[in-house]
Amino acid sequence: MKKYAIGVDLGGTKILAGLVNTETGEVLTSVKKKTQNNDDKPIIEKIIETIEKTILEAQISPGDISSIGIGAAGQVDREKGILMCAPNLNCYRLDIKQILENQFKLPVFLGNDVEVATIGEITFGNGIGYKNLVCIFVGTGVGSGIVCNGKVYRGSSGTAGEIGHIIVSSGGRLCGCGENGCLEAYASRTAIEKRITGAIKKGHNSVITDLVSENGSIKSKHIKKALELNDEIVYNSITEAAEYLSSGLASVINFYNPELIILGGGLIEAVDFFYDITIKKAHAKSLALASAGTKITRTGLKDFSGLVGSALLEKYYATARV
Ligand SMILES: [Zn+2]
């Protein structure tokens, strides 16, 4: 097998593509594009442009590339390579495999974004050497990949790992799934942003108003800065999110007793306070014996977990199909 593959991390807000050495995990070049611009360009065209730019920038002949792997934020049909349902991308039944194979004359493999990020972490990230672990990513939602005996566990109908919909507050806040009190209604980046903007709208003062431009989104760097400036609204929002996230983690520790939990996502990477109190509380809330056997760490590949993992899909599907 040729050693280079293209990986594409297709998230709710951005497409991140790159050329990856699948023997070492090294990312040789990467290209980022926003998924939501003010244009009507279909998402598939944006994906094609991002891959074309990656090949161009990497200065590599398509003949030296083994495959293209995509990790998409949504439900996927892995066999047929169809993105079945991706509400954040407004994408339904998109035949990604067929379209990209026709375009690039290379084999194309499709996986779910959290699943591929988990494959990235167990192959070249902080999951190396562990057989039973859970990778939890905090982003637009909260998702996780479960690794059991070295393989990604998908569940009986392929949905295992939906940690964002563990109910942490019975009858609580409404979640996007229609249920009340789910973890991601409290601990996702979306939930944190909602709580901050809601408090500002109610008339509470926050430095976020000065840090973020009008109609701009609250980024991890803004939250980090606001905490440094002792902003009460941001402090309370992050503390609340950590409280619920740690409850979710404690449930995972008690239920699965994994050797390792890897935490990822922009906020976790950028905001030490969020990460530190989450892991401290998760250990405190879980059963002593279970907690003693479970280490918690951040991702090893940072922003590239999904990109590297998707480039590995061809290899992974060939050797570890479960
Ligand atoms: Zn839910």
Side-chain angles (χ1 to χ4, degrees):
M1 198 183 279
K2 294 162 193 161
K3 65 179 178 180
Y4 298 109
I6 302 256
V8 182
D9 184 357
L10 178 57
T13 54
K14 67 172 194 300
I15 304 168
L16 179 65
L19 184 75
V20 178
N21 180 331
T22 59
E23 289 171 4
T24 63
E26 187 193 354
V27 178
L28 286 97
T29 184
S30 69
V31 174
K32 205 191 274 187
K33 200 179 185 75
K34 278 188 182 163
T35 51
Q36 287 147 342
N37 286 343
N38 292 326
D39 56 33
D40 293 330
K41 206 179 269 183
I43 188 79
I44 191 71
E45 277 185 36
K46 292 181 184 174
I47 298 171
I48 290 172
E49 282 174 11
T50 318
I51 296 173
E52 279 172 344
K53 199 169 173 209
T54 304
I55 295 172
L56 201 68
E57 285 193 6
Q59 298 187 317
I60 191 166
S61 147
D64 291 326
I65 300 168
S66 144
S67 66
I68 296 171
I70 319 263
Q75 289 169 20
V76 296
D77 181 330
R78 299 175 182 91
E79 301 289 328
K80 297 189 180 127
I82 298 174
L83 179 54
M84 301 300 288
C85 171
N88 289 331
L89 296 164
N90 197 20
C91 238
Y92 301 91
R93 292 203 65 87
L94 178 65
D95 199 345
I96 289 197
K97 180 180 168 73
Q98 178 100 58
I99 298 169
L100 295 184
E101 286 188 346
N102 288 344
Q103 180 77 26
F104 294 101
K105 313 293 176 214
L106 287 168
V108 172
F109 300 87
L110 181 66
N112 164 267
D113 61 343
V114 174
E115 175 184 27
V116 300
T118 302
I119 293 170
E121 283 299 314
I122 58 175
T123 315
F124 293 116
N126 280 344
I128 295 174
Y130 293 88
K131 289 220 166 294
N132 298 296
L133 63 125
V134 180
C135 293
I136 300 173
F137 297 92
V138 180
T140 315
V142 182
S144 80
I146 302 166
V147 178
C148 183
N149 290 326
K151 291 179 181 178
V152 176
Y153 174 75
R154 290 185 186 144
S156 62
S157 49
T159 73
E162 289 285 4
I163 189 177
H165 304 285
I166 281 184
I167 295 170
V168 289
S169 175
S170 188
R173 246 181 239 170
L174 183 65
C175 174
C177 74
E179 192 49 67
N180 289 87
C182 295
L183 175 61
E184 72 178 38
Y186 294 90
S188 65
R189 192 191 175 92
T190 322
I192 295 168
E193 282 181 22
K194 260 191 198 167
R195 181 157 174 195
I196 295 171
T197 49
I200 293 171
K201 273 182 193 154
K202 277 186 191 161
H204 295 281
N205 288 326
S206 167
V207 294
I208 287 290
T209 322
D210 303 324
L211 296 173
V212 181
S213 59
E214 211 174 328
N215 298 325
S217 58
I218 304 172
K219 299 207 163 80
S220 300
K221 62 175 182 188
H222 300 135
I223 290 181
K224 192 177 172 187
K225 185 76 190 166
L227 286 169
E228 282 166 13
L229 296 169
N230 296 318
D231 187 85
E232 198 183 338
I233 299 294
V234 173
Y235 175 84
N236 289 344
S237 305
I238 292 292
T239 307
E240 180 197 74
E243 187 67 54
Y244 284 101
L245 186 57
S246 63
S247 296
L249 257 61
S251 301
V252 169
I253 294 170
N254 289 344
F255 181 72
Y256 188 48
N257 192 208
E259 299 161 80
L260 178 73
I261 291 178
I262 297 177
L263 272 178
L267 265 183
I268 289 287
E269 300 293 351
V271 183
D272 289 339
F273 174 69
F274 185 33
Y275 172 74
D276 291 341
I277 52 172
T278 298
I279 61 167
K280 195 171 158 210
K281 284 176 180 253
H283 280 302
K285 288 177 187 178
S286 45
L287 297 169
L289 201 54
S291 168
T294 302
K295 198 180 143 192
I296 306 178
T297 183
R298 280 170 165 141
T299 57
L301 301 175
K302 300 191 165 66
D303 285 349
F304 285 159
S305 310
L307 166 56
V308 171
S310 39
L312 296 171
L313 273 179
E314 180 183 22
K315 267 190 179 174
Y316 187 79
Y317 283 169
T319 57
R321 184 151 246 166
V322 282

